Amino acid sequence: MYRFLRPALFKLDPENAHQLTLQLVRLAGYQPFRAILSKIYDTPDKPVEAFGLRFKNPVGLAAGYDKDGIAIRG
């Protein structure tokens, strides 16, 4: 999917692209989008332990990407 979205995102002003992707991640956290995306991108668990917490999968996110926490569900 990124392969198709990337050219459009790179034509946007960086701040607009940032806000758009945050809103899309936020939307992805709600039903029915969450269920649909889970079926499309079903992957096996790869547990990771960090800072005494156990995560279902590795998480990679740039510092400050969601500094206000609006996309936490996504």
Side-chain angles (χ1 to χ4, degrees):
M1 183 179 288
Y2 180 72
R3 172 174 92 190
F4 299 110
L5 294 176
R6 185 180 188 273
L9 288 173
F10 276 61
K11 288 181 182 177
L12 294 174
D13 170 73
E15 189 61 30
N16 290 339
H18 175 81
Q19 289 302 318
L20 175 63
T21 57
L22 265 179
Q23 292 302 322
L24 290 173
V25 171
R26 180 180 186 208
L27 183 64
Y30 292 97
Q31 294 292 357
F33 302 107
R34 186 178 205 132
I36 293 168
L37 291 171
S38 292
K39 296 295 181 194
I40 294 172
Y41 298 106
D42 187 31
T43 59
D45 292 349
K46 297 176 187 169
V48 173
E49 191 167 325
F51 308 106
L53 300 172
R54 186 171 177 84
F55 297 95
K56 183 176 165 182
N57 289 301
V59 176
L61 189 62
Y65 177 71
D66 187 16
K67 64 183 178 221
D68 298 322
I70 65 168
I72 194 75
R73 288 184 184 209

mmCIF file with all atom_site columns, all heavy atoms in Angstrom, residues 50-74:
data_model
loop_
_atom_site.group_PDB
_atom_site.id
_atom_site.type_symbol
_atom_site.label_atom_id
_atom_site.label_alt_id
_atom_site.label_comp_id
_atom_site.label_asym_id
_atom_site.label_entity_id
_atom_site.label_seq_id
_atom_site.pdbx_PDB_ins_code
_atom_site.Cartn_x
_atom_site.Cartn_y
_atom_site.Cartn_z
_atom_site.occupancy
_atom_site.B_iso_or_equiv
_atom_site.pdbx_formal_charge
_atom_site.auth_seq_id
_atom_site.auth_comp_id
_atom_site.auth_asym_id
_atom_site.auth_atom_id
_atom_site.pdbx_PDB_model_num
ATOM 1   N N   . ALA A 1 50 ? 11.017  -4.773  26.284 1.00 0.00 ? 50 ALA A N   1
ATOM 2   C CA  . ALA A 1 50 ? 11.807  -3.552  26.424 1.00 0.00 ? 50 ALA A CA  1
ATOM 3   C C   . ALA A 1 50 ? 11.326  -2.784  27.650 1.00 0.00 ? 50 ALA A C   1
ATOM 4   O O   . ALA A 1 50 ? 10.124  -2.640  27.861 1.00 0.00 ? 50 ALA A O   1
ATOM 5   C CB  . ALA A 1 50 ? 11.678  -2.683  25.179 1.00 0.00 ? 50 ALA A CB  1
ATOM 6   N N   . PHE A 1 51 ? 12.265  -2.322  28.435 1.00 0.00 ? 51 PHE A N   1
ATOM 7   C CA  . PHE A 1 51 ? 11.952  -1.524  29.621 1.00 0.00 ? 51 PHE A CA  1
ATOM 8   C C   . PHE A 1 51 ? 11.005  -2.245  30.574 1.00 0.00 ? 51 PHE A C   1
ATOM 9   O O   . PHE A 1 51 ? 10.139  -1.636  31.197 1.00 0.00 ? 51 PHE A O   1
ATOM 10  C CB  . PHE A 1 51 ? 11.371  -0.165  29.224 1.00 0.00 ? 51 PHE A CB  1
ATOM 11  C CG  . PHE A 1 51 ? 12.198  0.584   28.236 1.00 0.00 ? 51 PHE A CG  1
ATOM 12  C CD1 . PHE A 1 51 ? 11.804  0.689   26.923 1.00 0.00 ? 51 PHE A CD1 1
ATOM 13  C CD2 . PHE A 1 51 ? 13.406  1.158   28.627 1.00 0.00 ? 51 PHE A CD2 1
ATOM 14  C CE1 . PHE A 1 51 ? 12.575  1.370   25.996 1.00 0.00 ? 51 PHE A CE1 1
ATOM 15  C CE2 . PHE A 1 51 ? 14.183  1.846   27.710 1.00 0.00 ? 51 PHE A CE2 1
ATOM 16  C CZ  . PHE A 1 51 ? 13.781  1.953   26.394 1.00 0.00 ? 51 PHE A CZ  1
ATOM 17  N N   . GLY A 1 52 ? 11.127  -3.565  30.633 1.00 0.00 ? 52 GLY A N   1
ATOM 18  C CA  . GLY A 1 52 ? 10.281  -4.353  31.523 1.00 0.00 ? 52 GLY A CA  1
ATOM 19  C C   . GLY A 1 52 ? 8.874   -4.582  30.994 1.00 0.00 ? 52 GLY A C   1
ATOM 20  O O   . GLY A 1 52 ? 8.034   -5.131  31.688 1.00 0.00 ? 52 GLY A O   1
ATOM 21  N N   . LEU A 1 53 ? 8.609   -4.172  29.774 1.00 0.00 ? 53 LEU A N   1
ATOM 22  C CA  . LEU A 1 53 ? 7.294   -4.367  29.157 1.00 0.00 ? 53 LEU A CA  1
ATOM 23  C C   . LEU A 1 53 ? 7.412   -5.362  28.025 1.00 0.00 ? 53 LEU A C   1
ATOM 24  O O   . LEU A 1 53 ? 8.421   -5.413  27.326 1.00 0.00 ? 53 LEU A O   1
ATOM 25  C CB  . LEU A 1 53 ? 6.748   -3.044  28.612 1.00 0.00 ? 53 LEU A CB  1
ATOM 26  C CG  . LEU A 1 53 ? 6.554   -1.923  29.620 1.00 0.00 ? 53 LEU A CG  1
ATOM 27  C CD1 . LEU A 1 53 ? 6.205   -0.630  28.897 1.00 0.00 ? 53 LEU A CD1 1
ATOM 28  C CD2 . LEU A 1 53 ? 5.457   -2.290  30.602 1.00 0.00 ? 53 LEU A CD2 1
ATOM 29  N N   . ARG A 1 54 ? 6.364   -6.136  27.830 1.00 0.00 ? 54 ARG A N   1
ATOM 30  C CA  . ARG A 1 54 ? 6.354   -7.113  26.739 1.00 0.00 ? 54 ARG A CA  1
ATOM 31  C C   . ARG A 1 54 ? 5.390   -6.622  25.668 1.00 0.00 ? 54 ARG A C   1
ATOM 32  O O   . ARG A 1 54 ? 4.215   -6.359  25.927 1.00 0.00 ? 54 ARG A O   1
ATOM 33  C CB  . ARG A 1 54 ? 5.918   -8.478  27.256 1.00 0.00 ? 54 ARG A CB  1
ATOM 34  C CG  . ARG A 1 54 ? 6.021   -9.571  26.237 1.00 0.00 ? 54 ARG A CG  1
ATOM 35  C CD  . ARG A 1 54 ? 5.777   -10.923 26.919 1.00 0.00 ? 54 ARG A CD  1
ATOM 36  N NE  . ARG A 1 54 ? 5.785   -11.996 25.975 1.00 0.00 ? 54 ARG A NE  1
ATOM 37  C CZ  . ARG A 1 54 ? 6.879   -12.599 25.535 1.00 0.00 ? 54 ARG A CZ  1
ATOM 38  N NH1 . ARG A 1 54 ? 8.051   -12.224 25.968 1.00 0.00 ? 54 ARG A NH1 1
ATOM 39  N NH2 . ARG A 1 54 ? 6.798   -13.591 24.678 1.00 0.00 ? 54 ARG A NH2 1
ATOM 40  N N   . PHE A 1 55 ? 5.895   -6.484  24.441 1.00 0.00 ? 55 PHE A N   1
ATOM 41  C CA  . PHE A 1 55 ? 5.099   -6.037  23.303 1.00 0.00 ? 55 PHE A CA  1
ATOM 42  C C   . PHE A 1 55 ? 4.840   -7.206  22.367 1.00 0.00 ? 55 PHE A C   1
ATOM 43  O O   . PHE A 1 55 ? 5.695   -8.067  22.193 1.00 0.00 ? 55 PHE A O   1
ATOM 44  C CB  . PHE A 1 55 ? 5.826   -4.924  22.543 1.00 0.00 ? 55 PHE A CB  1
ATOM 45  C CG  . PHE A 1 55 ? 6.035   -3.684  23.359 1.00 0.00 ? 55 PHE A CG  1
ATOM 46  C CD1 . PHE A 1 55 ? 7.219   -3.485  24.043 1.00 0.00 ? 55 PHE A CD1 1
ATOM 47  C CD2 . PHE A 1 55 ? 5.046   -2.726  23.447 1.00 0.00 ? 55 PHE A CD2 1
ATOM 48  C CE1 . PHE A 1 55 ? 7.426   -2.346  24.802 1.00 0.00 ? 55 PHE A CE1 1
ATOM 49  C CE2 . PHE A 1 55 ? 5.228   -1.580  24.196 1.00 0.00 ? 55 PHE A CE2 1
ATOM 50  C CZ  . PHE A 1 55 ? 6.420   -1.395  24.873 1.00 0.00 ? 55 PHE A CZ  1
ATOM 51  N N   . LYS A 1 56 ? 3.662   -7.230  21.761 1.00 0.00 ? 56 LYS A N   1
ATOM 52  C CA  . LYS A 1 56 ? 3.264   -8.303  20.847 1.00 0.00 ? 56 LYS A CA  1
ATOM 53  C C   . LYS A 1 56 ? 4.182   -8.351  19.624 1.00 0.00 ? 56 LYS A C   1
ATOM 54  O O   . LYS A 1 56 ? 4.491   -9.417  19.109 1.00 0.00 ? 56 LYS A O   1
ATOM 55  C CB  . LYS A 1 56 ? 1.818   -8.060  20.430 1.00 0.00 ? 56 LYS A CB  1
ATOM 56  C CG  . LYS A 1 56 ? 1.227   -9.103  19.544 1.00 0.00 ? 56 LYS A CG  1
ATOM 57  C CD  . LYS A 1 56 ? -0.250  -8.783  19.291 1.00 0.00 ? 56 LYS A CD  1
ATOM 58  C CE  . LYS A 1 56 ? -0.807  -9.557  18.142 1.00 0.00 ? 56 LYS A CE  1
ATOM 59  N NZ  . LYS A 1 56 ? -2.200  -9.226  17.872 1.00 0.00 ? 56 LYS A NZ  1
ATOM 60  N N   . ASN A 1 57 ? 4.604   -7.189  19.144 1.00 0.00 ? 57 ASN A N   1
ATOM 61  C CA  . ASN A 1 57 ? 5.452   -7.076  17.966 1.00 0.00 ? 57 ASN A CA  1
ATOM 62  C C   . ASN A 1 57 ? 6.446   -5.935  18.149 1.00 0.00 ? 57 ASN A C   1
ATOM 63  O O   . ASN A 1 57 ? 6.221   -5.042  18.959 1.00 0.00 ? 57 ASN A O   1
ATOM 64  C CB  . ASN A 1 57 ? 4.602   -6.792  16.717 1.00 0.00 ? 57 ASN A CB  1
ATOM 65  C CG  . ASN A 1 57 ? 3.784   -7.993  16.308 1.00 0.00 ? 57 ASN A CG  1
ATOM 66  O OD1 . ASN A 1 57 ? 4.330   -9.042  16.037 1.00 0.00 ? 57 ASN A OD1 1
ATOM 67  N ND2 . ASN A 1 57 ? 2.476   -7.829  16.284 1.00 0.00 ? 57 ASN A ND2 1
ATOM 68  N N   . PRO A 1 58 ? 7.526   -5.933  17.357 1.00 0.00 ? 58 PRO A N   1
ATOM 69  C CA  . PRO A 1 58 ? 8.454   -4.812  17.414 1.00 0.00 ? 58 PRO A CA  1
ATOM 70  C C   . PRO A 1 58 ? 7.738   -3.518  16.999 1.00 0.00 ? 58 PRO A C   1
ATOM 71  O O   . PRO A 1 58 ? 6.876   -3.534  16.124 1.00 0.00 ? 58 PRO A O   1
ATOM 72  C CB  . PRO A 1 58 ? 9.531   -5.161  16.388 1.00 0.00 ? 58 PRO A CB  1
ATOM 73  C CG  . PRO A 1 58 ? 9.365   -6.600  16.094 1.00 0.00 ? 58 PRO A CG  1
ATOM 74  C CD  . PRO A 1 58 ? 7.947   -6.956  16.403 1.00 0.00 ? 58 PRO A CD  1
ATOM 75  N N   . VAL A 1 59 ? 8.096   -2.449  17.645 1.00 0.00 ? 59 VAL A N   1
ATOM 76  C CA  . VAL A 1 59 ? 7.483   -1.162  17.340 1.00 0.00 ? 59 VAL A CA  1
ATOM 77  C C   . VAL A 1 59 ? 8.584   -0.204  16.912 1.00 0.00 ? 59 VAL A C   1
ATOM 78  O O   . VAL A 1 59 ? 9.595   -0.077  17.584 1.00 0.00 ? 59 VAL A O   1
ATOM 79  C CB  . VAL A 1 59 ? 6.770   -0.582  18.586 1.00 0.00 ? 59 VAL A CB  1
ATOM 80  C CG1 . VAL A 1 59 ? 6.205   0.794   18.299 1.00 0.00 ? 59 VAL A CG1 1
ATOM 81  C CG2 . VAL A 1 59 ? 5.683   -1.521  19.072 1.00 0.00 ? 59 VAL A CG2 1
ATOM 82  N N   . GLY A 1 60 ? 8.384   0.463   15.788 1.00 0.00 ? 60 GLY A N   1
ATOM 83  C CA  . GLY A 1 60 ? 9.337   1.459   15.330 1.00 0.00 ? 60 GLY A CA  1
ATOM 84  C C   . GLY A 1 60 ? 8.594   2.740   15.009 1.00 0.00 ? 60 GLY A C   1
ATOM 85  O O   . GLY A 1 60 ? 7.684   2.743   14.187 1.00 0.00 ? 60 GLY A O   1
ATOM 86  N N   . LEU A 1 61 ? 8.960   3.806   15.689 1.00 0.00 ? 61 LEU A N   1
ATOM 87  C CA  . LEU A 1 61 ? 8.270   5.073   15.492 1.00 0.00 ? 61 LEU A CA  1
ATOM 88  C C   . LEU A 1 61 ? 9.251   6.199   15.763 1.00 0.00 ? 61 LEU A C   1
ATOM 89  O O   . LEU A 1 61 ? 9.963   6.182   16.761 1.00 0.00 ? 61 LEU A O   1
ATOM 90  C CB  . LEU A 1 61 ? 7.087   5.160   16.460 1.00 0.00 ? 61 LEU A CB  1
ATOM 91  C CG  . LEU A 1 61 ? 6.110   6.293   16.302 1.00 0.00 ? 61 LEU A CG  1
ATOM 92  C CD1 . LEU A 1 61 ? 5.421   6.207   14.939 1.00 0.00 ? 61 LEU A CD1 1
ATOM 93  C CD2 . LEU A 1 61 ? 5.065   6.228   17.386 1.00 0.00 ? 61 LEU A CD2 1
ATOM 94  N N   . ALA A 1 62 ? 9.276   7.158   14.868 1.00 0.00 ? 62 ALA A N   1
ATOM 95  C CA  . ALA A 1 62 ? 10.187  8.287   15.046 1.00 0.00 ? 62 ALA A CA  1
ATOM 96  C C   . ALA A 1 62 ? 9.789   9.105   16.266 1.00 0.00 ? 62 ALA A C   1
ATOM 97  O O   . ALA A 1 62 ? 8.610   9.304   16.535 1.00 0.00 ? 62 ALA A O   1
ATOM 98  C CB  . ALA A 1 62 ? 10.153  9.164   13.801 1.00 0.00 ? 62 ALA A CB  1
ATOM 99  N N   . ALA A 1 63 ? 10.776  9.566   16.994 1.00 0.00 ? 63 ALA A N   1
ATOM 100 C CA  . ALA A 1 63 ? 10.512  10.392  18.171 1.00 0.00 ? 63 ALA A CA  1
ATOM 101 C C   . ALA A 1 63 ? 9.740   11.641  17.761 1.00 0.00 ? 63 ALA A C   1
ATOM 102 O O   . ALA A 1 63 ? 10.077  12.317  16.796 1.00 0.00 ? 63 ALA A O   1
ATOM 103 C CB  . ALA A 1 63 ? 11.834  10.789  18.820 1.00 0.00 ? 63 ALA A CB  1
ATOM 104 N N   . GLY A 1 64 ? 8.673   11.917  18.482 1.00 0.00 ? 64 GLY A N   1
ATOM 105 C CA  . GLY A 1 64 ? 7.870   13.103  18.206 1.00 0.00 ? 64 GLY A CA  1
ATOM 106 C C   . GLY A 1 64 ? 6.835   12.928  17.118 1.00 0.00 ? 64 GLY A C   1
ATOM 107 O O   . GLY A 1 64 ? 6.089   13.855  16.816 1.00 0.00 ? 64 GLY A O   1
ATOM 108 N N   . TYR A 1 65 ? 6.760   11.757  16.505 1.00 0.00 ? 65 TYR A N   1
ATOM 109 C CA  . TYR A 1 65 ? 5.804   11.554  15.416 1.00 0.00 ? 65 TYR A CA  1
ATOM 110 C C   . TYR A 1 65 ? 4.374   11.814  15.874 1.00 0.00 ? 65 TYR A C   1
ATOM 111 O O   . TYR A 1 65 ? 3.615   12.488  15.199 1.00 0.00 ? 65 TYR A O   1
ATOM 112 C CB  . TYR A 1 65 ? 5.930   10.139  14.844 1.00 0.00 ? 65 TYR A CB  1
ATOM 113 C CG  . TYR A 1 65 ? 4.912   9.855   13.755 1.00 0.00 ? 65 TYR A CG  1
ATOM 114 C CD1 . TYR A 1 65 ? 5.031   10.469  12.513 1.00 0.00 ? 65 TYR A CD1 1
ATOM 115 C CD2 . TYR A 1 65 ? 3.838   9.009   13.973 1.00 0.00 ? 65 TYR A CD2 1
ATOM 116 C CE1 . TYR A 1 65 ? 4.105   10.241  11.519 1.00 0.00 ? 65 TYR A CE1 1
ATOM 117 C CE2 . TYR A 1 65 ? 2.913   8.770   12.991 1.00 0.00 ? 65 TYR A CE2 1
ATOM 118 C CZ  . TYR A 1 65 ? 3.046   9.390   11.762 1.00 0.00 ? 65 TYR A CZ  1
ATOM 119 O OH  . TYR A 1 65 ? 2.121   9.159   10.788 1.00 0.00 ? 65 TYR A OH  1
ATOM 120 N N   . ASP A 1 66 ? 4.014   11.270  17.018 1.00 0.00 ? 66 ASP A N   1
ATOM 121 C CA  . ASP A 1 66 ? 2.663   11.459  17.555 1.00 0.00 ? 66 ASP A CA  1
ATOM 122 C C   . ASP A 1 66 ? 2.776   12.044  18.965 1.00 0.00 ? 66 ASP A C   1
ATOM 123 O O   . ASP A 1 66 ? 2.303   11.479  19.933 1.00 0.00 ? 66 ASP A O   1
ATOM 124 C CB  . ASP A 1 66 ? 1.912   10.121  17.570 1.00 0.00 ? 66 ASP A CB  1
ATOM 125 C CG  . ASP A 1 66 ? 0.447   10.275  17.955 1.00 0.00 ? 66 ASP A CG  1
ATOM 126 O OD1 . ASP A 1 66 ? -0.074  11.402  17.919 1.00 0.00 ? 66 ASP A OD1 1
ATOM 127 O OD2 . ASP A 1 66 ? -0.184  9.262   18.301 1.00 0.00 ? 66 ASP A OD2 1
ATOM 128 N N   . LYS A 1 67 ? 3.383   13.206  19.045 1.00 0.00 ? 67 LYS A N   1
ATOM 129 C CA  . LYS A 1 67 ? 3.679   13.798  20.354 1.00 0.00 ? 67 LYS A CA  1
ATOM 130 C C   . LYS A 1 67 ? 2.430   14.127  21.161 1.00 0.00 ? 67 LYS A C   1
ATOM 131 O O   . LYS A 1 67 ? 2.483   14.220  22.374 1.00 0.00 ? 67 LYS A O   1
ATOM 132 C CB  . LYS A 1 67 ? 4.541   15.039  20.191 1.00 0.00 ? 67 LYS A CB  1
ATOM 133 C CG  . LYS A 1 67 ? 3.871   16.167  19.444 1.00 0.00 ? 67 LYS A CG  1
ATOM 134 C CD  . LYS A 1 67 ? 4.812   17.335  19.265 1.00 0.00 ? 67 LYS A CD  1
ATOM 135 C CE  . LYS A 1 67 ? 4.101   18.406  18.462 1.00 0.00 ? 67 LYS A CE  1
ATOM 136 N NZ  . LYS A 1 67 ? 4.917   19.025  17.495 1.00 0.00 ? 67 LYS A NZ  1
ATOM 137 N N   . ASP A 1 68 ? 1.277   14.295  20.493 1.00 0.00 ? 68 ASP A N   1
ATOM 138 C CA  . ASP A 1 68 ? 0.028   14.588  21.199 1.00 0.00 ? 68 ASP A CA  1
ATOM 139 C C   . ASP A 1 68 ? -0.801  13.339  21.484 1.00 0.00 ? 68 ASP A C   1
ATOM 140 O O   . ASP A 1 68 ? -1.852  13.422  22.101 1.00 0.00 ? 68 ASP A O   1
ATOM 141 C CB  . ASP A 1 68 ? -0.800  15.590  20.414 1.00 0.00 ? 68 ASP A CB  1
ATOM 142 C CG  . ASP A 1 68 ? -0.082  16.923  20.244 1.00 0.00 ? 68 ASP A CG  1
ATOM 143 O OD1 . ASP A 1 68 ? 0.589   17.348  21.208 1.00 0.00 ? 68 ASP A OD1 1
ATOM 144 O OD2 . ASP A 1 68 ? -0.182  17.519  19.161 1.00 0.00 ? 68 ASP A OD2 1
ATOM 145 N N   . GLY A 1 69 ? -0.350  12.200  20.987 1.00 0.00 ? 69 GLY A N   1
ATOM 146 C CA  . GLY A 1 69 ? -1.034  10.937  21.255 1.00 0.00 ? 69 GLY A CA  1
ATOM 147 C C   . GLY A 1 69 ? -2.388  10.792  20.596 1.00 0.00 ? 69 GLY A C   1
ATOM 148 O O   . GLY A 1 69 ? -3.239  10.056  21.084 1.00 0.00 ? 69 GLY A O   1
ATOM 149 N N   . ILE A 1 70 ? -2.602  11.440  19.450 1.00 0.00 ? 70 ILE A N   1
ATOM 150 C CA  . ILE A 1 70 ? -3.925  11.356  18.803 1.00 0.00 ? 70 ILE A CA  1
ATOM 151 C C   . ILE A 1 70 ? -4.127  10.036  18.060 1.00 0.00 ? 70 ILE A C   1
ATOM 152 O O   . ILE A 1 70 ? -5.254  9.659   17.780 1.00 0.00 ? 70 ILE A O   1
ATOM 153 C CB  . ILE A 1 70 ? -4.184  12.539  17.855 1.00 0.00 ? 70 ILE A CB  1
ATOM 154 C CG1 . ILE A 1 70 ? -3.223  12.531  16.667 1.00 0.00 ? 70 ILE A CG1 1
ATOM 155 C CG2 . ILE A 1 70 ? -4.119  13.855  18.589 1.00 0.00 ? 70 ILE A CG2 1
ATOM 156 C CD1 . ILE A 1 70 ? -3.625  13.496  15.572 1.00 0.00 ? 70 ILE A CD1 1
ATOM 157 N N   . ALA A 1 71 ? -3.049  9.334   17.740 1.00 0.00 ? 71 ALA A N   1
ATOM 158 C CA  . ALA A 1 71 ? -3.172  8.104   16.960 1.00 0.00 ? 71 ALA A CA  1
ATOM 159 C C   . ALA A 1 71 ? -2.795  6.875   17.779 1.00 0.00 ? 71 ALA A C   1
ATOM 160 O O   . ALA A 1 71 ? -2.413  5.858   17.223 1.00 0.00 ? 71 ALA A O   1
ATOM 161 C CB  . ALA A 1 71 ? -2.305  8.200   15.707 1.00 0.00 ? 71 ALA A CB  1
ATOM 162 N N   . ILE A 1 72 ? -2.935  6.951   19.083 1.00 0.00 ? 72 ILE A N   1
ATOM 163 C CA  . ILE A 1 72 ? -2.476  5.864   19.949 1.00 0.00 ? 72 ILE A CA  1
ATOM 164 C C   . ILE A 1 72 ? -3.174  4.537   19.653 1.00 0.00 ? 72 ILE A C   1
ATOM 165 O O   . ILE A 1 72 ? -2.551  3.489   19.691 1.00 0.00 ? 72 ILE A O   1
ATOM 166 C CB  . ILE A 1 72 ? -2.608  6.261   21.442 1.00 0.00 ? 72 ILE A CB  1
ATOM 167 C CG1 . ILE A 1 72 ? -1.830  5.296   22.325 1.00 0.00 ? 72 ILE A CG1 1
ATOM 168 C CG2 . ILE A 1 72 ? -4.052  6.337   21.880 1.00 0.00 ? 72 ILE A CG2 1
ATOM 169 C CD1 . ILE A 1 72 ? -0.372  5.492   22.288 1.00 0.00 ? 72 ILE A CD1 1
ATOM 170 N N   . ARG A 1 73 ? -4.452  4.571   19.324 1.00 0.00 ? 73 ARG A N   1
ATOM 171 C CA  . ARG A 1 73 ? -5.161  3.317   19.012 1.00 0.00 ? 73 ARG A CA  1
ATOM 172 C C   . ARG A 1 73 ? -4.640  2.674   17.730 1.00 0.00 ? 73 ARG A C   1
ATOM 173 O O   . ARG A 1 73 ? -4.622  1.474   17.597 1.00 0.00 ? 73 ARG A O   1
ATOM 174 C CB  . ARG A 1 73 ? -6.644  3.567   18.862 1.00 0.00 ? 73 ARG A CB  1
ATOM 175 C CG  . ARG A 1 73 ? -7.343  3.845   20.130 1.00 0.00 ? 73 ARG A CG  1
ATOM 176 C CD  . ARG A 1 73 ? -8.822  3.988   19.880 1.00 0.00 ? 73 ARG A CD  1
ATOM 177 N NE  . ARG A 1 73 ? -9.490  4.353   21.107 1.00 0.00 ? 73 ARG A NE  1
ATOM 178 C CZ  . ARG A 1 73 ? -10.729 4.026   21.379 1.00 0.00 ? 73 ARG A CZ  1
ATOM 179 N NH1 . ARG A 1 73 ? -11.440 3.363   20.508 1.00 0.00 ? 73 ARG A NH1 1
ATOM 180 N NH2 . ARG A 1 73 ? -11.264 4.383   22.525 1.00 0.00 ? 73 ARG A NH2 1
ATOM 181 N N   . GLY A 1 74 ? -4.276  3.496   16.792 1.00 0.00 ? 74 GLY A N   1
ATOM 182 C CA  . GLY A 1 74 ? -3.773  2.984   15.513 1.00 0.00 ? 74 GLY A CA  1
ATOM 183 C C   . GLY A 1 74 ? -2.408  2.399   15.642 1.00 0.00 ? 74 GLY A C   1
ATOM 184 O O   . GLY A 1 74 ? -2.022  1.501   14.946 1.00 0.00 ? 74 GLY A O   1
#
